[in-house]
Amino acid sequence: MNLEEHSFIQVLFIVLWIMMPAYLSNTFAVISGGRFPIDQGKIHSDGNRILGDGKTWSGLIGGTTGGILIGYLQMNYGNSIINTLANTNNYDFWGENPIIIISLLAFGALLGDMTASFFKRRSKLNRGDKSPLLDMFDFIGMALFLTLVFDPLWLKSWILDGYAPLFTLLVATPILHRGVNIIGYKIGIKNEPW
Ligand code: CTP
Ligand code: MG
């Protein structure tokens, strides 16, 4: 199956569907996170924390597991949903080794978030400080980068096929990211609405 036989709106739903493990792993990290800082409280040579208290093992493990679980549920119970949204009968979204791609998306998102924290600390931003562009695209960037490293053909056939998928990611990512965080803030699981 490829994306060309679908309309723009259908591609939009398919791409969002594929990326759901990456989008939601962050949400799970917020819920499970907060314990066992990955940098163990250590200070970098510039005098600031290496990553900060916002990047913890409990968040990394819970978030990765949660993202994989989402992908698993999508794979096993989601076909009728994506069929309704995108009118597709092909469900090989995550390629021949779906669990691997799903894991890379979920873990990659959190690795991107951690990498961004490293650079935020280097530019003297404290935990939770706003860094709009980084916060919005770090996770999707690293998730896709990992799939590029481990399975470039998959990335090529689903995300680098025409302009619609990349357009979807560029436009939908900030909207979804901000939306989910505002909800998380309102229901009290997130400290800041970004
Ligand atoms: N979180 C975590 N471990 C992770 C990612 C997130 O524990 N690997 C939890 C933390 O409790 C964190 C919250 O999720 O405070 C929100 O995540 P995020 O906005 O990415 O962290 P910030 O607190 O804003 O820290 P930073 O400035 O480093 O992004
Ligand atoms: Mg933050």
Side-chain angles (χ1 to χ4, degrees):
M1 128 146 204
N2 60 51
L3 293 172
E4 269 143 43
E5 56 205 55
H6 293 281
S7 73
F8 184 81
I9 291 293
Q10 289 169 348
V11 172
L12 191 142
F13 279 124
I14 290 173
V15 170
L16 290 181
W17 183 255
I18 291 173
M19 296 305 290
M20 211 48 89
Y23 284 121
L24 290 182
S25 64
N26 269 285
T27 309
F28 282 97
V30 176
I31 297 168
S32 67
R35 269 169 296 168
F36 312 115
I38 293 169
D39 70 4
Q40 299 181 308
K42 287 191 185 118
I43 309 287
H44 194 258
S45 57
D46 60 11
N48 296 313
R49 283 284 293 275
I50 299 176
L51 297 175
D53 284 332
K55 305 297 116 145
T56 65
W57 287 112
S58 65
L60 183 63
I61 293 167
T64 303
T65 312
I68 295 172
L69 181 71
I70 289 293
Y72 178 83
L73 292 176
Q74 287 178 275
M75 247 167 46
N76 287 287
Y77 305 102
N79 287 353
S80 65
I81 300 174
I82 191 62
N83 181 291
T84 309
L85 292 172
N87 191 27
T88 179
N89 287 311
N90 297 293
Y91 305 110
D92 56 343
F93 301 115
W94 294 284
E96 282 168 22
N97 298 302
I99 290 295
I100 295 192
I101 295 289
I102 285 169
S103 306
L104 290 173
L105 291 174
F107 175 72
L110 292 164
L111 186 64
D113 175 58
M114 260 165 58
T115 310
S117 289
F118 177 81
F119 288 111
K120 284 189 269 184
R121 297 301 90 82
R122 301 295 68 78
S123 53
K124 310 225 176 315
L125 289 170
N126 288 318
R127 172 191 178 180
D129 282 356
K130 227 174 174 167
S131 177
L133 272 180
L134 258 189
D135 282 343
M136 281 185 229
F137 292 107
D138 54 11
F139 68 105
I140 230 70
M142 185 63 87
L144 293 179
F145 178 73
L146 288 195
T147 67
L148 172 71
V149 171
F150 289 98
D151 194 349
L153 283 180
W154 178 83
L155 187 71
K156 202 164 172 298
S157 64
W158 286 102
I159 307 295
L160 301 180
D161 183 12
Y163 69 92
L166 282 180
F167 178 84
T168 300
L169 291 178
L170 283 178
V171 174
T173 300
I175 297 173
L176 274 175
H177 183 257
R178 192 90 173 107
V180 168
N181 285 345
I182 289 173
I183 294 170
Y185 178 71
K186 289 242 156 90
I187 64 176
I189 58 172
K190 203 165 184 320
N191 295 329
E192 307 90 13
W194 54 78

